[in-house]
Amino acid sequence: MTGPEHLVVVGQGYVGLPLAMRAVAVGMRVTGIDLDAQRIAGLAAGTSHVEDITDDELAAALATGRYLPTTDPADVAGFDVAVISVPTPLADGVPDLGAVEAASAMLASHMRPGVCVVLESTTYPGTTTELVAPILEEASGLVAGVDFDLGYSPERIDPGNPTHGLVETPKVVSGVTPASLDRVQGFYDRIVDETVPVADTGTAELTKLLENTFRHVNIALVNELAVFANELGIDVWAAVDAAATKPFGFMPFRPGPGVGGHCLPIDPSYLSWKVKRSTGRDFRFVELANEVNEQMPRYVVDRALARLERDGVPAAGATVALLGMSYKRNTGDARETPSIPIAEGLAGAGVRVLACDPHVDPASLPATVEPATCTPDVLASADLVVLLVDHDAFDAAEIVRHARAVLDTRRWLPEAPSVEAL
Ligand SMILES: NC(=O)c1ccc[n+]([C@@H]2O[C@H](COP(=O)([O-])OP(=O)(O)OC[C@H]3O[C@@H](n4cnc5c(N)ncnc54)[C@H](O)[C@@H]3O)[C@@H](O)[C@H]2O)c1
């Protein structure tokens, strides 16, 4: 090999862009390829669309001359290692691997003996060997594990997490053969502080789904408990905090308005789909967690309407200000956010819905809501304020000072007579 190792990262989103930036930082030549021409033009012009990557970091990568954002498949020619980090959504509850297939086919026509391909997209066990390998082999005429290395390494990136980034979070690695595992592990040893090898790609694929299913199920548990605790007149948040003092055997999860993002509403269903297809049986924990978490937005709407009624405000014509439209704090990512069904549920009851979120692009919000800014005037004008996301940009004291009535779905605000928690 002459010159720096040539890495191709297919997909320059929340997962692919941080990997590309890190690989440039450790000395690799990186081609970041994406179908989205606007996104690529932005990256080439030095504008990052991913919050974890600042424009300065992107500029530094571009300045090395070793980072090429592109839409042109010809630019992947001559790659040494390729990582696939494209979306894996559900279509009508069924895994949609179309992007993984397209990315694999694109790489296959540029394969040479000795290259290494790694799938990072979250997916059901078996995808690397049953779906990706045949596509790579057919167009290239090469054999996985013999002529080229192939592996799977799940991504654990947590956008907005200030302490656990790509580098500090241990990374599970796998290969279709022991030699492929060595190659994949050697690659990631240059990228992250710690790699965790597992025996095969199926184990690595299952590891990712286990992690996200574990969270999904535990969040569903506290969400369902929150509903019952409210009816029992018991403070579920205090109970979780107290239980969390146990130094072993308990891990705190807190209730919320529902789950969103790319992972929790989707990944567990990849697992239940695979289980059903392979064994014919239902993965009941996943089905139940889906059901409970999907009901949370409706529960928040019902609690909001009940509060209006208690305050003597007819829902039709009432004004409710929603604070936070993204799916988690300090991000503008509104994929699968529960805030949208909550807004639509309130609007359906005749409520005028104001949506305040300093991070979310107002153009991405449905026509049923009015984008607004969380000012004292807006807070004071609303019959009810519903805190949905605890962004640092919100001023908790100001919210309590100006809002007449508040439903706090994150238990983030200071206690006050006007505030009730979920
Ligand atoms: N976002 C997260 O926090 C996170 C964490 C862990 C794992 N994952 C998983 O990683 C994968 C990618 O997620 P993401 O959040 O980075 O998605 P994303 O939507 O932010 O980025 C994916 C990018 O891939 C591009 N793309 C789609 N098809 C393509 C193709 N055929 N060729 C080239 N580019 C293509 C899209 O245009 C997009 O820019 C998913 O499987 C996801 O489940 C995401």
Side-chain angles (χ1 to χ4, degrees), residues 10-15 33-36 39 85-88 99 102-103 121-122 155 157 159 208 262-263 335:
V10 190
Q12 291 291 275
Y14 285 91
V15 169
I33 184 163
D34 201 293
L35 295 178
D36 187 331
R39 203 164 253 203
S85 52
V86 295
T88 43
S121 299
T122 304
E155 184 43 63
I157 211 148
K208 174 71 188 176
H262 200 301
C263 296
R335 290 181 291 183

Side-chain angles (χ1 to χ4, degrees), residues 3 10 20 64 72 94 117 126 140 152 179 182 184 189 191 207 221 240 251 275 321 371 374 386 400 406 415 422:
V10 190
T64 64
D72 185 356
V94 174
V117 177
S140 68
Y152 181 81
D182 278 354
V184 172
D189 278 338
I191 299 286
T207 300
L221 172 67
V240 172
M251 189 180 285
V275 167
C374 185
V386 183
V400 173
V406 185
E415 280 184 33
L422 192 67

Side-chain angles (χ1 to χ4, degrees), residues 24-393:
V24 172
V26 301
M28 297 179 195
R29 176 162 82 84
V30 180
T31 302
I33 184 163
D34 201 293
L35 295 178
D36 187 331
Q38 209 180 342
R39 203 164 253 203
I40 289 298
L43 290 173
T47 308
S48 168
H49 54 279
V50 171
E51 283 119 352
D52 288 346
I53 301 297
T54 63
D55 288 351
D56 286 348
E57 286 172 87
L58 177 59
L62 290 165
T64 64
R66 286 184 284 103
Y67 174 54
L68 175 67
T70 183
T71 56
D72 185 356
D75 289 325
V76 314
F79 75 84
D80 300 302
V81 179
V83 173
I84 300 172
S85 52
V86 295
T88 43
L90 289 169
D92 295 328
V94 174
D96 174 1
L97 273 296
V100 171
E101 289 170 345
S104 304
M106 186 274 295
L107 290 172
S109 52
H110 296 283
M111 304 262 293
R112 298 170 293 126
V115 299
C116 177
V117 177
V118 187
L119 179 63
E120 279 206 8
S121 299
T122 304
T123 184
Y124 58 80
T127 305
T128 306
T129 52
E130 294 162 16
L131 184 88
V132 175
I135 295 173
L136 296 176
E137 289 175 340
E138 195 182 321
S140 68
L142 303 173
V143 178
V146 177
D147 302 315
F148 67 95
D149 289 309
L150 177 63
Y152 181 81
S153 178
E155 184 43 63
R156 286 171 162 167
I157 211 148
D158 181 19
N161 187 324
T163 48
H164 288 90
L166 169 64
V167 178
E168 303 81 21
T169 308
K171 201 158 191 335
V172 172
V173 291
S174 68
V176 293
T177 60
S180 281
L181 170 58
D182 278 354
R183 179 86 181 276
V184 172
Q185 186 169 18
F187 167 73
Y188 283 109
D189 278 338
R190 294 180 62 192
I191 299 286
V192 301
D193 290 342
E194 185 186 347
T195 48
V196 182
V198 294
D200 49 46
T201 53
T203 306
E205 290 161 334
L206 183 61
T207 300
K208 174 71 188 176
L209 294 184
L210 171 61
E211 290 168 10
N212 282 349
T213 302
F214 174 83
R215 281 181 55 220
H216 192 54
V217 166
N218 279 285
I219 290 169
L221 172 67
V222 287
N223 277 341
E224 188 166 45
L225 192 58
V227 173
F228 291 134
N230 181 257
E231 286 169 34
L232 296 172
I234 296 172
D235 184 341
V236 68
W237 304 82
V240 172
D241 287 345
T245 62
K246 187 180 179 189
F248 50 87
F250 186 81
M251 189 180 285
F253 288 83
R254 293 187 170 78
V259 296
H262 200 301
C263 296
L264 293 190
I266 295 170
D267 298 354
S269 297
Y270 265 68
L271 189 50
S272 61
W273 177 86
K274 172 71 178 178
V275 167
K276 181 82 177 176
R277 196 182 66 158
S278 300
T279 72
R281 297 207 294 282
D282 292 326
F283 196 152
R284 291 168 298 162
F285 263 104
V286 172
E287 306 303 332
L288 183 60
N290 282 343
E291 190 186 316
V292 171
N293 286 333
E294 280 165 14
Q295 282 169 1
M296 287 313 287
R298 184 66 234 175
Y299 178 68
V300 172
V301 170
D302 289 345
R303 286 281 300 269
L305 295 176
R307 175 67 184 263
L308 287 173
E309 194 177 338
R310 251 187 295 129
D311 290 349
V313 181
T319 298
V320 172
L322 301 182
L323 307 187
M325 300 304 290
S326 61
Y327 82 90
K328 67 187 274 194
R329 66 197 305 266
N330 298 340
T331 174
D333 190 349
R335 290 181 291 183
E336 311 280 334
T337 173
S339 300
I340 299 292
I342 290 168
E344 285 171 344
L346 289 168
V351 169
R352 174 180 173 233
V353 182
L354 307 179
C356 307
D357 195 309
H359 303 290
V360 172
D361 178 3
S364 69
L365 298 174
T368 40
V369 304
E370 293 173 40
T373 306
C374 185
T375 60
D377 283 350
V378 166
L379 291 168
S381 73
D383 297 297
L384 175 66
V385 170
V386 183
L387 182 99
L388 295 174
V389 187
D390 47 342
H391 290 312
D392 286 340

